[in-house]
């Protein structure tokens, strides 16, 4: 589903963020990407999202070559990918329900689809009781669960979770990881970036270790070797 072929990313100031990365992620996989700060994880994610282009090498998502993608085609690609961030990025003046509904409105879904799907995904992340709360009335773990509901509601093929547990305590971290695992079990590909050794070990799934823009390890059984 995702293919990086000898990808280099050099920023205009000369920083080499990716240094010859080759990797592939198959549909249905759950892949964690680990590495110290500055290793190149965010750059990798930006290239998958089409937010930035490689300096050399190619990045593709299914048959779409992201090096050649035109800006007008990026929204179409982005609809196939749900993204979750460390800082949640919810709209503060909308309730949990409205935050999720808004993602469906933007994608052009009908009122009937919204009315049927939003409660369903909020139930999946165990937030039925709090769906009318505003973000300020929710805990960090609950905010992240709303963000997950929003990311999955349009049934993307891929979920990218960029340090999703970075602001959470261990109990909430565990819950978020279990939800991501459940989403993956339902067939969605998940790419997770994390610093958290416990998360990677609890998952027991494929782990890619990055260092200074290179992949230094690719382990299929959840080993974290930093
Ligand atoms: P990580 O997510 O693993 O912390 P990043 O991909 O953010 O790593 O960064 C990789 C390297 O690229 C770092 O040295 C960082 O300072 C640099 N970098 C990231 N974004 C930019 C940018 N827009 N311009 C210049 N350098 C950048």
């Amino acid at each position: 589903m995702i293919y990086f072929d000898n990808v280099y990313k050099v920023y205009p100031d000369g920083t080499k963020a990716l240094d010859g990365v080759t990797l592939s992620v198959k549909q249905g996989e759950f892949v964690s990407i680990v590495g110290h700060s500055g290793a190149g994880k965010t750059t990798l994610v930006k290239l998958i999202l089409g937010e930035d282009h490689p300096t050399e090498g190619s990045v593709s998502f299914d048959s779409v070559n992201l090096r050649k993608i035109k800006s007008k085609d990026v929204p179409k690609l982005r609809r196939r990918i749900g993204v979750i961030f460390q800082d949640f990025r919810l709209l503060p003046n909308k309730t949990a329900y409205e935050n999720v509904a808004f993602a469906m409105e933007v994608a052009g879904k009908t009122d009937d689809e919204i009315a049927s799907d939003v409660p369903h995904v909020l139930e999946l992340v165990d937030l039925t009781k709090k769906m009318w709360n505003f973000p300020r009335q929710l805990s960090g773990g609950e905010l992240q669960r709303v963000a997950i509901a929003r990311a999955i509601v349009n049934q993307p093929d891929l979920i990218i979770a960029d340090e999703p547990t970075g602001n959470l305590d261990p109990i909430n971290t565990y819950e978020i990881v279990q939800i991501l695992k459940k989403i993956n079990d339902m067939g969605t590909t998940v790419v997770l970036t994390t610093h958290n050794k416990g998360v990677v070990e609890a998952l027991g799934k494929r782990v890619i270790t990055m260092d200074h823009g290179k992949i230094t390890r690719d382990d299929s059984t959840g080993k974290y070797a930093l």
Side-chain angles (χ1 to χ4, degrees), residues 25-51:
V25 175
K26 291 195 196 77
Q27 190 174 342
E29 267 194 289
F30 193 131
V31 182
S32 302
I33 300 175
V34 303
H36 295 296
S37 180
K41 305 180 297 294
T42 305
T43 302
L44 194 95
V45 165
K46 281 188 182 157
L47 296 189
I48 298 171
L49 292 172
E51 282 178 12

PDB file of all heavy atoms in Angstrom, residues 25-51:
ATOM      1  N   VAL A  25       4.740  -0.986   3.171  1.00  0.00           N
ATOM      2  CA  VAL A  25       3.737  -1.346   4.168  1.00  0.00           C
ATOM      3  C   VAL A  25       2.571  -1.949   3.407  1.00  0.00           C
ATOM      4  O   VAL A  25       2.047  -1.342   2.480  1.00  0.00           O
ATOM      5  CB  VAL A  25       3.262  -0.101   4.957  1.00  0.00           C
ATOM      6  CG1 VAL A  25       2.138  -0.470   5.917  1.00  0.00           C
ATOM      7  CG2 VAL A  25       4.420   0.550   5.705  1.00  0.00           C
ATOM      8  N   LYS A  26       2.199  -3.167   3.801  1.00  0.00           N
ATOM      9  CA  LYS A  26       1.101  -3.855   3.097  1.00  0.00           C
ATOM     10  C   LYS A  26      -0.237  -3.464   3.701  1.00  0.00           C
ATOM     11  O   LYS A  26      -0.318  -3.119   4.887  1.00  0.00           O
ATOM     12  CB  LYS A  26       1.261  -5.363   3.247  1.00  0.00           C
ATOM     13  CG  LYS A  26       2.431  -5.935   2.502  1.00  0.00           C
ATOM     14  CD  LYS A  26       2.253  -7.468   2.418  1.00  0.00           C
ATOM     15  CE  LYS A  26       3.544  -8.143   2.028  1.00  0.00           C
ATOM     16  NZ  LYS A  26       4.511  -8.244   3.143  1.00  0.00           N
ATOM     17  N   GLN A  27      -1.254  -3.598   2.881  1.00  0.00           N
ATOM     18  CA  GLN A  27      -2.602  -3.347   3.371  1.00  0.00           C
ATOM     19  C   GLN A  27      -2.899  -4.263   4.560  1.00  0.00           C
ATOM     20  O   GLN A  27      -2.565  -5.443   4.534  1.00  0.00           O
ATOM     21  CB  GLN A  27      -3.593  -3.623   2.248  1.00  0.00           C
ATOM     22  CG  GLN A  27      -4.960  -3.153   2.607  1.00  0.00           C
ATOM     23  CD  GLN A  27      -5.918  -3.292   1.450  1.00  0.00           C
ATOM     24  OE1 GLN A  27      -5.512  -3.422   0.302  1.00  0.00           O
ATOM     25  NE2 GLN A  27      -7.187  -3.274   1.763  1.00  0.00           N
ATOM     26  N   GLY A  28      -3.476  -3.696   5.613  1.00  0.00           N
ATOM     27  CA  GLY A  28      -3.835  -4.494   6.779  1.00  0.00           C
ATOM     28  C   GLY A  28      -2.756  -4.593   7.832  1.00  0.00           C
ATOM     29  O   GLY A  28      -3.002  -5.120   8.928  1.00  0.00           O
ATOM     30  N   GLU A  29      -1.565  -4.077   7.543  1.00  0.00           N
ATOM     31  CA  GLU A  29      -0.484  -4.138   8.531  1.00  0.00           C
ATOM     32  C   GLU A  29      -0.678  -3.106   9.632  1.00  0.00           C
ATOM     33  O   GLU A  29      -1.357  -2.098   9.444  1.00  0.00           O
ATOM     34  CB  GLU A  29       0.872  -3.856   7.850  1.00  0.00           C
ATOM     35  CG  GLU A  29       1.602  -5.094   7.404  1.00  0.00           C
ATOM     36  CD  GLU A  29       3.058  -4.793   7.055  1.00  0.00           C
ATOM     37  OE1 GLU A  29       3.294  -4.137   6.029  1.00  0.00           O
ATOM     38  OE2 GLU A  29       3.935  -5.234   7.807  1.00  0.00           O
ATOM     39  N   PHE A  30      -0.017  -3.338  10.765  1.00  0.00           N
ATOM     40  CA  PHE A  30       0.088  -2.350  11.841  1.00  0.00           C
ATOM     41  C   PHE A  30       1.579  -2.135  12.035  1.00  0.00           C
ATOM     42  O   PHE A  30       2.291  -3.034  12.470  1.00  0.00           O
ATOM     43  CB  PHE A  30      -0.553  -2.897  13.122  1.00  0.00           C
ATOM     44  CG  PHE A  30      -0.781  -1.852  14.181  1.00  0.00           C
ATOM     45  CD1 PHE A  30      -2.026  -1.756  14.794  1.00  0.00           C
ATOM     46  CD2 PHE A  30       0.220  -0.979  14.575  1.00  0.00           C
ATOM     47  CE1 PHE A  30      -2.270  -0.794  15.778  1.00  0.00           C
ATOM     48  CE2 PHE A  30      -0.002  -0.015  15.547  1.00  0.00           C
ATOM     49  CZ  PHE A  30      -1.255   0.073  16.145  1.00  0.00           C
ATOM     50  N   VAL A  31       2.057  -0.950  11.675  1.00  0.00           N
ATOM     51  CA  VAL A  31       3.491  -0.682  11.716  1.00  0.00           C
ATOM     52  C   VAL A  31       3.777   0.474  12.663  1.00  0.00           C
ATOM     53  O   VAL A  31       3.172   1.549  12.534  1.00  0.00           O
ATOM     54  CB  VAL A  31       4.017  -0.293  10.310  1.00  0.00           C
ATOM     55  CG1 VAL A  31       5.526  -0.073  10.352  1.00  0.00           C
ATOM     56  CG2 VAL A  31       3.673  -1.368   9.295  1.00  0.00           C
ATOM     57  N   SER A  32       4.674   0.248  13.609  1.00  0.00           N
ATOM     58  CA  SER A  32       5.116   1.352  14.469  1.00  0.00           C
ATOM     59  C   SER A  32       6.450   1.856  13.961  1.00  0.00           C
ATOM     60  O   SER A  32       7.313   1.065  13.568  1.00  0.00           O
ATOM     61  CB  SER A  32       5.297   0.875  15.910  1.00  0.00           C
ATOM     62  OG  SER A  32       4.093   0.339  16.397  1.00  0.00           O
ATOM     63  N   ILE A  33       6.608   3.178  13.970  1.00  0.00           N
ATOM     64  CA  ILE A  33       7.879   3.774  13.585  1.00  0.00           C
ATOM     65  C   ILE A  33       8.444   4.458  14.813  1.00  0.00           C
ATOM     66  O   ILE A  33       7.792   5.338  15.399  1.00  0.00           O
ATOM     67  CB  ILE A  33       7.693   4.781  12.432  1.00  0.00           C
ATOM     68  CG1 ILE A  33       7.089   4.047  11.227  1.00  0.00           C
ATOM     69  CG2 ILE A  33       9.019   5.426  12.049  1.00  0.00           C
ATOM     70  CD1 ILE A  33       6.738   4.930  10.065  1.00  0.00           C
ATOM     71  N   VAL A  34       9.613   4.014  15.237  1.00  0.00           N
ATOM     72  CA  VAL A  34      10.218   4.572  16.446  1.00  0.00           C
ATOM     73  C   VAL A  34      11.558   5.203  16.100  1.00  0.00           C
ATOM     74  O   VAL A  34      12.160   4.904  15.060  1.00  0.00           O
ATOM     75  CB  VAL A  34      10.391   3.497  17.550  1.00  0.00           C
ATOM     76  CG1 VAL A  34       9.067   2.840  17.888  1.00  0.00           C
ATOM     77  CG2 VAL A  34      11.416   2.443  17.162  1.00  0.00           C
ATOM     78  N   GLY A  35      12.010   6.089  16.970  1.00  0.00           N
ATOM     79  CA  GLY A  35      13.290   6.742  16.747  1.00  0.00           C
ATOM     80  C   GLY A  35      13.368   7.989  17.595  1.00  0.00           C
ATOM     81  O   GLY A  35      12.336   8.557  17.964  1.00  0.00           O
ATOM     82  N   HIS A  36      14.586   8.408  17.909  1.00  0.00           N
ATOM     83  CA  HIS A  36      14.770   9.616  18.702  1.00  0.00           C
ATOM     84  C   HIS A  36      14.213  10.814  17.954  1.00  0.00           C
ATOM     85  O   HIS A  36      14.011  10.769  16.737  1.00  0.00           O
ATOM     86  CB  HIS A  36      16.261   9.840  18.979  1.00  0.00           C
ATOM     87  CG  HIS A  36      16.861   8.774  19.839  1.00  0.00           C
ATOM     88  ND1 HIS A  36      16.462   8.575  21.133  1.00  0.00           N
ATOM     89  CD2 HIS A  36      17.819   7.855  19.592  1.00  0.00           C
ATOM     90  CE1 HIS A  36      17.153   7.568  21.641  1.00  0.00           C
ATOM     91  NE2 HIS A  36      17.978   7.107  20.721  1.00  0.00           N
ATOM     92  N   SER A  37      14.031  11.901  18.694  1.00  0.00           N
ATOM     93  CA  SER A  37      13.601  13.141  18.074  1.00  0.00           C
ATOM     94  C   SER A  37      14.606  13.538  16.993  1.00  0.00           C
ATOM     95  O   SER A  37      15.808  13.445  17.210  1.00  0.00           O
ATOM     96  CB  SER A  37      13.515  14.180  19.187  1.00  0.00           C
ATOM     97  OG  SER A  37      13.121  15.377  18.661  1.00  0.00           O
ATOM     98  N   GLY A  38      14.099  13.922  15.831  1.00  0.00           N
ATOM     99  CA  GLY A  38      14.992  14.315  14.731  1.00  0.00           C
ATOM    100  C   GLY A  38      15.374  13.160  13.818  1.00  0.00           C
ATOM    101  O   GLY A  38      16.080  13.347  12.825  1.00  0.00           O
ATOM    102  N   ALA A  39      14.868  11.955  14.117  1.00  0.00           N
ATOM    103  CA  ALA A  39      15.254  10.783  13.314  1.00  0.00           C
ATOM    104  C   ALA A  39      14.651  10.802  11.913  1.00  0.00           C
ATOM    105  O   ALA A  39      15.147  10.130  11.010  1.00  0.00           O
ATOM    106  CB  ALA A  39      14.847   9.502  14.044  1.00  0.00           C
ATOM    107  N   GLY A  40      13.548  11.563  11.751  1.00  0.00           N
ATOM    108  CA  GLY A  40      12.931  11.636  10.419  1.00  0.00           C
ATOM    109  C   GLY A  40      11.508  11.095  10.361  1.00  0.00           C
ATOM    110  O   GLY A  40      10.919  11.010   9.280  1.00  0.00           O
ATOM    111  N   LYS A  41      10.912  10.777  11.517  1.00  0.00           N
ATOM    112  CA  LYS A  41       9.583  10.158  11.538  1.00  0.00           C
ATOM    113  C   LYS A  41       8.505  11.086  10.957  1.00  0.00           C
ATOM    114  O   LYS A  41       7.687  10.674  10.145  1.00  0.00           O
ATOM    115  CB  LYS A  41       9.207   9.762  12.980  1.00  0.00           C
ATOM    116  CG  LYS A  41      10.236   8.866  13.654  1.00  0.00           C
ATOM    117  CD  LYS A  41       9.832   8.487  15.081  1.00  0.00           C
ATOM    118  CE  LYS A  41       9.726   9.645  16.047  1.00  0.00           C
ATOM    119  NZ  LYS A  41      10.999  10.323  16.353  1.00  0.00           N
ATOM    120  N   THR A  42       8.541  12.344  11.413  1.00  0.00           N
ATOM    121  CA  THR A  42       7.515  13.285  10.940  1.00  0.00           C
ATOM    122  C   THR A  42       7.667  13.546   9.450  1.00  0.00           C
ATOM    123  O   THR A  42       6.671  13.663   8.724  1.00  0.00           O
ATOM    124  CB  THR A  42       7.615  14.612  11.723  1.00  0.00           C
ATOM    125  OG1 THR A  42       7.533  14.290  13.104  1.00  0.00           O
ATOM    126  CG2 THR A  42       6.502  15.569  11.365  1.00  0.00           C
ATOM    127  N   THR A  43       8.893  13.623   9.000  1.00  0.00           N
ATOM    128  CA  THR A  43       9.138  13.825   7.570  1.00  0.00           C
ATOM    129  C   THR A  43       8.549  12.663   6.776  1.00  0.00           C
ATOM    130  O   THR A  43       7.880  12.863   5.752  1.00  0.00           O
ATOM    131  CB  THR A  43      10.655  13.962   7.312  1.00  0.00           C
ATOM    132  OG1 THR A  43      11.137  15.064   8.081  1.00  0.00           O
ATOM    133  CG2 THR A  43      10.956  14.169   5.848  1.00  0.00           C
ATOM    134  N   LEU A  44       8.764  11.462   7.270  1.00  0.00           N
ATOM    135  CA  LEU A  44       8.209  10.267   6.612  1.00  0.00           C
ATOM    136  C   LEU A  44       6.681  10.373   6.509  1.00  0.00           C
ATOM    137  O   LEU A  44       6.088  10.135   5.449  1.00  0.00           O
ATOM    138  CB  LEU A  44       8.623   9.047   7.438  1.00  0.00           C
ATOM    139  CG  LEU A  44       8.450   7.696   6.818  1.00  0.00           C
ATOM    140  CD1 LEU A  44       9.762   7.276   6.170  1.00  0.00           C
ATOM    141  CD2 LEU A  44       8.095   6.655   7.876  1.00  0.00           C
ATOM    142  N   VAL A  45       6.048  10.771   7.613  1.00  0.00           N
ATOM    143  CA  VAL A  45       4.590  10.912   7.629  1.00  0.00           C
ATOM    144  C   VAL A  45       4.138  11.982   6.637  1.00  0.00           C
ATOM    145  O   VAL A  45       3.177  11.789   5.884  1.00  0.00           O
ATOM    146  CB  VAL A  45       4.103  11.244   9.070  1.00  0.00           C
ATOM    147  CG1 VAL A  45       2.667  11.745   9.064  1.00  0.00           C
ATOM    148  CG2 VAL A  45       4.245  10.024   9.972  1.00  0.00           C
ATOM    149  N   LYS A  46       4.847  13.105   6.601  1.00  0.00           N
ATOM    150  CA  LYS A  46       4.469  14.194   5.680  1.00  0.00           C
ATOM    151  C   LYS A  46       4.544  13.739   4.227  1.00  0.00           C
ATOM    152  O   LYS A  46       3.728  14.138   3.394  1.00  0.00           O
ATOM    153  CB  LYS A  46       5.398  15.390   5.858  1.00  0.00           C
ATOM    154  CG  LYS A  46       5.037  16.230   7.062  1.00  0.00           C
ATOM    155  CD  LYS A  46       5.875  17.489   7.062  1.00  0.00           C
ATOM    156  CE  LYS A  46       5.569  18.317   8.282  1.00  0.00           C
ATOM    157  NZ  LYS A  46       6.672  19.217   8.600  1.00  0.00           N
ATOM    158  N   LEU A  47       5.513  12.898   3.924  1.00  0.00           N
ATOM    159  CA  LEU A  47       5.629  12.416   2.541  1.00  0.00           C
ATOM    160  C   LEU A  47       4.465  11.477   2.208  1.00  0.00           C
ATOM    161  O   LEU A  47       3.933  11.516   1.095  1.00  0.00           O
ATOM    162  CB  LEU A  47       6.967  11.720   2.300  1.00  0.00           C
ATOM    163  CG  LEU A  47       8.240  12.577   2.431  1.00  0.00           C
ATOM    164  CD1 LEU A  47       9.453  11.799   1.936  1.00  0.00           C
ATOM    165  CD2 LEU A  47       8.140  13.878   1.671  1.00  0.00           C
ATOM    166  N   ILE A  48       4.048  10.665   3.180  1.00  0.00           N
ATOM    167  CA  ILE A  48       2.917   9.754   2.931  1.00  0.00           C
ATOM    168  C   ILE A  48       1.639  10.571   2.694  1.00  0.00           C
ATOM    169  O   ILE A  48       0.815  10.228   1.856  1.00  0.00           O
ATOM    170  CB  ILE A  48       2.697   8.766   4.105  1.00  0.00           C
ATOM    171  CG1 ILE A  48       3.916   7.871   4.308  1.00  0.00           C
ATOM    172  CG2 ILE A  48       1.444   7.914   3.869  1.00  0.00           C
ATOM    173  CD1 ILE A  48       3.860   7.031   5.590  1.00  0.00           C
ATOM    174  N   LEU A  49       1.510  11.678   3.425  1.00  0.00           N
ATOM    175  CA  LEU A  49       0.302  12.506   3.302  1.00  0.00           C
ATOM    176  C   LEU A  49       0.333  13.418   2.078  1.00  0.00           C
ATOM    177  O   LEU A  49      -0.625  14.145   1.827  1.00  0.00           O
ATOM    178  CB  LEU A  49       0.136  13.368   4.558  1.00  0.00           C
ATOM    179  CG  LEU A  49      -0.206  12.611   5.840  1.00  0.00           C
ATOM    180  CD1 LEU A  49      -0.142  13.539   7.040  1.00  0.00           C
ATOM    181  CD2 LEU A  49      -1.586  11.982   5.733  1.00  0.00           C
ATOM    182  N   GLY A  50       1.441  13.403   1.355  1.00  0.00           N
ATOM    183  CA  GLY A  50       1.552  14.282   0.188  1.00  0.00           C
ATOM    184  C   GLY A  50       1.740  15.740   0.578  1.00  0.00           C
ATOM    185  O   GLY A  50       1.580  16.642  -0.240  1.00  0.00           O
ATOM    186  N   GLU A  51       2.095  15.988   1.859  1.00  0.00           N
ATOM    187  CA  GLU A  51       2.284  17.379   2.313  1.00  0.00           C
ATOM    188  C   GLU A  51       3.630  17.925   1.868  1.00  0.00           C
ATOM    189  O   GLU A  51       3.865  19.123   1.916  1.00  0.00           O
ATOM    190  CB  GLU A  51       2.224  17.455   3.852  1.00  0.00           C
ATOM    191  CG  GLU A  51       0.831  17.405   4.387  1.00  0.00           C
ATOM    192  CD  GLU A  51       0.778  17.441   5.909  1.00  0.00           C
ATOM    193  OE1 GLU A  51       1.801  17.736   6.557  1.00  0.00           O
ATOM    194  OE2 GLU A  51      -0.300  17.145   6.431  1.00  0.00           O
TER     195      GLU A  51
END
